[in-house]
Amino acid sequence: EPEVTQTPSHQVTQMGQEVILRCVPISNHLYFYWYRQILGQKVEFLVSFYNNEISEKSEIFDDQFSVERPDGSNFTLKIRSTKLEDSAMYFCASRERSAGGQETQYFGPGTRLLVL
Amino acid sequence: AQSVTQLDSQVPVFEEAPVELRCNYSSSVSVYLFWYVQYPNQGLQLLLKYLSGSTLVESINGFEAEFNKSQTSFHLRKPSVHISDTAEYFCAVSAKAAGNKLTFGGGTRVLVKP
């Protein structure tokens, strides 16, 4: 069964450093998402991406964050200058295109980011 | 905007006993409702979803959830749990429009004891 994959599974970085989290969505999917979960808190929506542009973003997704689909298979989340509060589990998700948005979002296993 | 409340952060339950995980939501627009499960060290997997039609939906592994519009609830139940059901369960909603994000509850950790 096709699945969403994410790399790395764990990343430790110093505050102020740039990190890139990578995701390979399911191949025929057209909508892509990033969510994060700070330890002990809810899973929060960050950004959705469709047709090579951001379709929606949350207040969390400020100028320090960017997303890209560089080569038609990977979907990346870049944090330009990490802060301590960026430490979280980051989930990528993808889904097929359909009217009404009822298709299931499939999630990757997550990347645990620790900012020191 | 939507919000989701899962009233129980943790539910210990004995094997073969029933379990109910409560989920309430609020939204100014019509929504789709989902339950996701996260097994230890794994990603989120869809357990079941309510889109329209019958308010009772079932999963292949014995879980069911009932959409109650008047109470804005989507509680998850299983009549007899197994050790393998130990996981964290997340209720989520999305507005009925293409491309829309999921809004999650805080999760309920189910620990099944022998």
Side-chain angles (χ1 to χ4, degrees):
Chain A
E1 187 176 322
E3 58 183 19
V4 177
T5 59
Q6 291 185 241
T7 53
S9 58
H10 294 79
Q11 175 125 21
V12 180
T13 190
Q14 296 289 324
M15 192 169 56
Q17 295 295 305
E18 175 184 284
V19 295
I20 298 176
L21 310 183
R22 292 185 168 79
C23 169
V24 179
I26 295 173
S27 62
N28 64 333
H29 286 188
L30 297 177
Y31 281 93
F32 313 110
Y33 305 82
W34 282 102
Y35 294 83
R36 78 171 185 190
Q37 185 181 27
I38 295 172
L39 192 62
Q41 298 185 24
K42 293 185 178 186
V43 177
E44 303 171 288
F45 167 77
L46 291 178
V47 65
S48 59
F49 191 85
Y50 170 70
N51 200 26
N52 282 319
E53 60 183 28
I54 291 173
S55 47
E56 187 176 359
K57 60 182 181 180
S58 71
E59 292 176 354
I60 304 166
F61 195 87
D62 61 22
D63 292 344
Q64 293 300 312
F65 291 88
S66 63
V67 288
E68 197 177 32
R69 190 155 159 80
D71 56 13
S73 62
N74 290 286
F75 179 52
T76 62
L77 174 69
K78 182 193 289 187
I79 309 175
R80 214 178 322 276
S81 176
T82 50
K83 302 188 279 285
L84 296 176
E85 54 264 37
D86 293 327
S87 295
M89 178 74 92
Y90 288 81
F91 293 105
C92 172
S94 70
R95 69 166 180 86
E96 294 178 307
R97 184 179 188 277
S98 66
Q102 70 268 35
E103 290 298 328
T104 299
Q105 289 185 32
Y106 290 86
F107 283 77
T111 294
R112 187 170 295 283
L113 176 66
L114 178 61
V115 182
L116 302 176
Chain B
Q2 295 80 46
S3 68
V4 180
T5 302
Q6 292 181 244
L7 293 168
D8 307 299
S9 59
Q10 202 159 297
V11 173
V13 58
F14 286 105
E15 195 174 17
E16 297 183 7
V19 71
E20 179 180 76
L21 309 184
R22 294 177 291 171
C23 172
N24 289 89
Y25 70 93
S26 68
S27 177
S28 56
V29 299
S30 295
V31 294
Y32 299 124
L33 295 147
F34 305 83
W35 277 98
Y36 279 82
V37 59
Q38 185 178 30
Y39 298 105
N41 301 314
Q42 294 187 29
L44 298 164
Q45 300 173 30
L46 181 71
L47 192 58
L48 45 75
K49 61 184 178 183
Y50 171 77
L51 305 178
S52 64
S54 172
T55 56
L56 185 65
V57 290
E58 299 177 350
S59 72
I60 58 172
N61 55 354
F63 282 93
E64 64 179 30
E66 186 158 20
F67 169 55
N68 187 319
K69 188 174 182 180
S70 62
Q71 296 186 6
T72 59
S73 67
F74 191 54
H75 301 330
L76 181 70
R77 302 182 187 91
K78 187 170 184 179
S80 176
V81 295
H82 301 130
I83 296 286
S84 59
D85 293 323
T86 293
E88 188 150 20
Y89 294 80
F90 294 92
C91 183
V93 302
S94 72
K96 286 186 178 180
N100 263 347
K101 62 184 184 289
L102 289 166
T103 299
F104 284 87
T108 298
R109 191 174 296 278
V110 173
L111 176 59
V112 181
K113 303 176 182 178

